[in-house]
Amino acid sequence: MASYAQSPFLQTTLQSLTQLQSLGVHGLLQSSDALVSEFRAQLQSSSQSMLPSYTNTLPSGTETGTAVALDLGGSTLRVAIVRLGKPADLHRTGKESLEGRLAVLERRRSWGVSDSVKKLPAREFFDWIAERIADILKTAGTYEGRSMSLGVTWSFPVEPTSVCSGKVQKMGKGYEQWLSIAGTDLKSHFDAAFRRKGLSLSVGALMNDTEATLLSHAYTNPETRISLIWGTGINAAVHLPLEFISQRKLGQRPNEWTSATKAVVINTEVSMFGASIFPISEADSILDSNSAHPGFQPLEQLTSGRYLGEIFRLVMLSAARQGELFRGHVPEAMEVVFSFDTASMNAIERGDDALTLKTLKEKYRFRYAPSSQDMAGLRDVARALSARAATYVAVTLFSLYRLQRDTAQPEYSPALPTILGDTTPTVAIAYCGAVAEKHHTALVRCQEALDMLVRFEQTTFPRRKLVLEGAEDSGLLGAAVGAILHRGMPIITPKL
């Protein structure tokens, strides 16, 4: 680490970025206590977080069948025909297991969603999707004309009304279709387009990306109980007992569903948690105050790929203004918000002076070349930011595990430990997203912090290892698993 005797701002910043870690494991456990309390409270009242889905069972890994899967994101539509094979004689974790248990993605294609497509009227937009699916089925040949179920991973807000339906809400990311169909049933728009295009398809499962990640990995590893999306944003899903969710949160659900449900998958919207729990720096405060909705997503601003590079820029900008970097000169482009991305921050974190200098010059024009001391200081800031993010994510995941574990004890209901898989020695946490997959230290640091929390927690419960496991192609695979898992179940959709 560089010397900061002449750099009081950078020294103070680094101290604030490492404040929680400096308290040791007991500080992390205290933060976890606070998060668990907040999770419990939001399970009772919040309309924005800890949202119960209609998925009331996780796959056992023995399901078989074929389904069409669709994954719509901000700029890409992906479609595949997925065949779940018979259980393979393999230990059910990792890539080897994935290939053995999910026989194949028999056909898979992706299309960019252009601005012109995003502006199509709703009817034409769903017809465009149906035509893409028709191309896949025609290419496959053997499936053309067959009645099939479609699983949909919809990476936009939707208010679920059954396992396969939900009310359309604001889509964002340039999509305009929602303006004319907000509040209507998403499934009905898909199914109508399929009829117009002569496809024997019907939506059999509708979910968001966290639910898809949980289902896809639970199929390959039945010890999976939590999923994590850690990329541009952050979110998580967890499997919890139904009896700990307030009736107000559940709303009016069919008696047939309620009577058959012991536990349910929860979309935590965990990005909204952490305010007043996780320490923040001056740069974090500036970022939040300049955001469109201050205080709305504290954890996301502290941990996600969208914001880490911006926090780094704010630290760099303030240090330069105070004469602690670049001999006090501030490049004009450094004043531009979000002009420094998280991938570039990661390059600085992992690089030597040559790579650091190359990365900085790709972004900004400097009057004076950054000195070795400048670059050493920036590497320390980058490492502190990524280490803090990994620690905060680990505390969050550990807290979700505690929530699931503590509500699954026999004193609440004798059957719940078995229902929730609380008898296994390991809990798998399925992950996907660019930060988890591409940042060179994030995942390792997060796993190390999880191991430490498990080891030092004072508890009478058996210690279970929490293991982060990658969930490949989770948007498509989870959608297909959902469609096949719910196949044959009675679907009761309330009137909208």
Side-chain angles (χ1 to χ4, degrees):
M1 180 175 287
S3 171
Y4 295 101
Q6 305 302 315
S7 305
F9 172 77
L10 283 176
Q11 184 176 46
T12 300
T13 297
L14 286 167
Q15 289 171 346
S16 66
L17 292 177
T18 57
Q19 181 179 343
L20 183 59
Q21 298 95 305
S22 69
L23 298 176
V25 68
H26 299 297
L28 304 187
L29 289 168
Q30 287 178 345
S31 295
S32 176
D33 290 340
L35 269 180
V36 171
S37 296
E38 192 172 347
F39 291 154
R40 289 184 183 277
Q42 299 309 304
L43 276 171
Q44 302 305 309
S45 60
S46 175
S47 62
Q48 295 183 310
S49 63
M50 304 305 281
L51 306 175
S53 69
Y54 274 78
T55 298
N56 56 7
T57 185
L58 294 182
S60 65
T62 61
E63 294 81 6
T64 61
T66 303
V68 179
L70 180 151
D71 181 7
L72 180 67
S75 59
T76 306
L77 170 69
R78 300 194 302 154
V79 176
I81 300 172
V82 181
R83 177 163 56 89
L84 305 189
K86 294 181 179 180
D89 186 21
L90 294 169
H91 179 62
R92 295 181 295 188
T93 58
K95 186 174 181 180
E96 181 184 26
S97 169
L98 182 66
E99 293 172 346
R101 298 183 65 74
L102 293 171
V104 321
L105 278 74
E106 295 195 342
R107 291 289 186 276
R108 173 170 55 180
R109 284 191 62 185
S110 62
W111 298 264
V113 184
S114 65
D115 288 342
S116 60
V117 170
K118 292 180 179 182
K119 296 179 186 300
L120 287 173
R123 179 185 174 107
E124 284 81 355
F125 175 69
F126 286 98
D127 282 351
W128 179 82
I129 292 176
E131 289 166 0
R132 310 280 90 71
I133 297 174
D135 288 344
I136 288 280
L137 294 173
K138 184 176 181 179
T139 302
T142 55
Y143 297 109
E144 193 172 15
R146 283 176 50 180
S147 295
M148 297 183 72
S149 182
L150 173 73
V152 176
T153 297
W154 188 258
S155 298
F156 306 96
V158 63
E159 180 184 339
T161 53
S162 77
V163 295
C164 62
S165 62
K167 296 179 183 179
V168 176
Q169 296 182 327
K170 182 177 179 179
M171 293 176 68
K173 300 178 182 177
Y175 288 87
E176 297 184 1
Q177 290 76 27
W178 70 274
L179 291 166
S180 61
I181 60 175
T184 62
D185 180 22
L186 181 59
K187 172 181 167 65
S188 70
H189 296 289
F190 276 110
D191 288 352
F194 298 152
R195 289 192 296 271
R196 289 193 294 270
K197 298 301 177 180
L199 299 176
S200 299
L201 279 177
S202 181
V203 176
L206 173 64
M207 64 196 71
N208 74 356
D209 50 1
T210 58
E211 187 178 348
T213 300
L214 182 58
L215 289 182
S216 71
H217 205 66
Y219 179 79
T220 64
N221 181 0
E223 294 178 344
T224 308
R225 289 296 176 271
I226 299 171
S227 64
L228 169 70
I229 308 296
W230 189 10
T232 304
I234 190 166
N235 198 8
V238 62
H239 196 221
L240 292 178
L242 184 68
E243 62 191 85
F244 293 96
I245 304 164
S246 70
Q247 185 59 51
R248 176 183 174 186
K249 292 276 289 194
L250 290 171
Q252 296 299 315
R253 300 200 174 198
N255 291 333
E256 294 88 342
W257 183 88
T258 304
S259 62
T261 299
K262 300 297 183 184
V264 66
V265 173
I266 302 292
N267 169 24
T268 66
E269 293 295 348
V270 78
S271 67
M272 300 179 184
F273 290 87
S276 302
I277 295 176
F278 292 127
I280 62 174
S281 68
E282 178 183 317
D284 300 310
S285 297
I286 295 171
L287 173 68
D288 185 54
S289 63
N290 290 336
S291 67
H293 304 285
F296 181 56
Q297 292 180 304
L299 184 66
E300 182 153 306
Q301 290 181 344
L302 293 166
T303 62
S304 75
R306 172 170 172 76
Y307 294 108
L308 288 174
E310 175 64 1
I311 299 170
F312 182 85
R313 181 193 71 85
L314 288 168
V315 172
M316 189 163 48
L317 178 64
S318 294
R321 285 174 172 170
Q322 296 183 41
E324 295 184 14
L325 288 176
F326 318 131
R327 296 167 63 178
H329 172 249
V330 178
E332 183 177 351
M334 195 177 287
E335 303 275 5
V336 178
V337 297
F338 291 100
S339 61
F340 204 87
D341 56 83
T342 299
S344 297
M345 187 194 85
N346 188 30
I348 286 178
E349 178 185 355
R350 70 191 306 175
D352 54 14
D353 277 5
L355 179 57
T356 299
L357 185 61
K358 177 177 181 291
T359 303
L360 290 170
K361 286 187 172 181
E362 285 174 349
K363 296 293 183 181
Y364 307 122
R365 295 181 63 182
F366 293 92
R367 180 181 299 169
Y368 309 106
S371 68
S372 293
Q373 185 172 341
D374 289 341
M375 292 185 282
L378 290 175
R379 280 195 294 274
D380 285 346
V381 171
R383 288 165 183 161
L385 279 168
S386 61
R388 184 185 69 165
T391 301
Y392 288 4
V393 171
V395 171
T396 302
L397 293 172
F398 182 69
S399 302
L400 287 173
Y401 160 68
R402 288 179 58 197
L403 180 72
Q404 191 268 347
R405 177 196 66 189
D406 297 353
T407 56
Q409 297 311 305
E411 60 263 32
Y412 296 120
S413 171
L416 282 176
T418 300
I419 292 169
L420 292 175
D422 198 52
T423 58
T424 61
T426 301
V427 174
I429 300 173
Y431 70 82
C432 66
V435 175
E437 294 169 357
K438 296 180 180 181
H439 190 283
H440 79 293
T441 64
L443 205 64
V444 172
R445 285 171 168 161
C446 187
Q447 184 66 67
E448 289 173 349
L450 280 172
D451 293 343
M452 182 174 62
L453 287 162
V454 169
R455 185 165 65 252
F456 286 99
E457 182 193 18
Q458 298 295 316
T459 179
T460 58
F461 299 122
R463 296 191 191 278
R464 304 169 70 200
K465 186 172 179 60
L466 307 184
V467 181
L468 292 162
E469 297 183 354
E472 298 179 22
D473 286 319
S474 58
L476 290 172
L477 298 177
V481 169
I484 292 169
L485 181 67
H486 298 303
R487 183 180 53 196
M489 293 184 180
I491 302 300
I492 302 165
T493 306
K495 292 182 180 180
L496 300 179

